Amino acid sequence: VFLNDHGFVCGVLSPLLFNPEYLIAAELAWYCPEGDGQELKTAFEDWARDNGATLCQFSTLVNGYTDKLGEMLINDQYAPIEVAYIKEL
């Protein structure tokens, strides 16, 4: 978990299930309503790199920040990899 005055980011570090030679740092929650979250993203990436991760994954919610965050991630050389769907039961 990384905190700053504007929000937080947290995640896990684990081998990919289908290829354990790759260690991925996956963001589980990223909340920064007062800013763009760049400082938190950088802290998470540094932690991931320092702990042997070869991949880093961030997600965005489909809301008013989707385009801004997606653009920030793409500008930082992230590539879209998956679309997820959810259903209330």
Side-chain angles (χ1 to χ4, degrees):
V1 176
F2 294 93
L3 305 168
N4 68 12
D5 291 339
H6 304 287
F8 69 90
V9 62
C10 63
V12 296
L13 190 65
S14 70
L16 286 177
L17 295 175
F18 54 85
N19 189 345
E21 291 184 24
Y22 288 92
L23 192 60
I24 187 168
E27 164 264 326
L28 298 176
W30 185 21
Y31 181 73
C32 194
E34 300 297 321
D36 66 7
Q38 182 68 39
E39 177 183 321
L40 293 165
K41 183 182 71 61
T42 299
F44 187 81
E45 291 169 335
D46 290 344
W47 166 79
R49 192 177 299 105
D50 292 347
N51 285 280
T54 52
L55 300 167
C56 191
Q57 175 185 333
F58 276 85
S59 300
T60 64
L61 293 174
V62 178
N63 61 21
Y65 301 104
T66 304
D67 292 340
K68 181 179 180 181
L69 292 174
E71 184 177 313
M72 181 181 71
L73 291 167
I74 288 170
N75 287 341
D76 201 22
Q77 301 179 0
Y78 282 79
I81 190 76
E82 157 180 280
V83 175
Y85 294 85
I86 192 167
K87 177 181 177 180
E88 235 181 274
L89 301 175

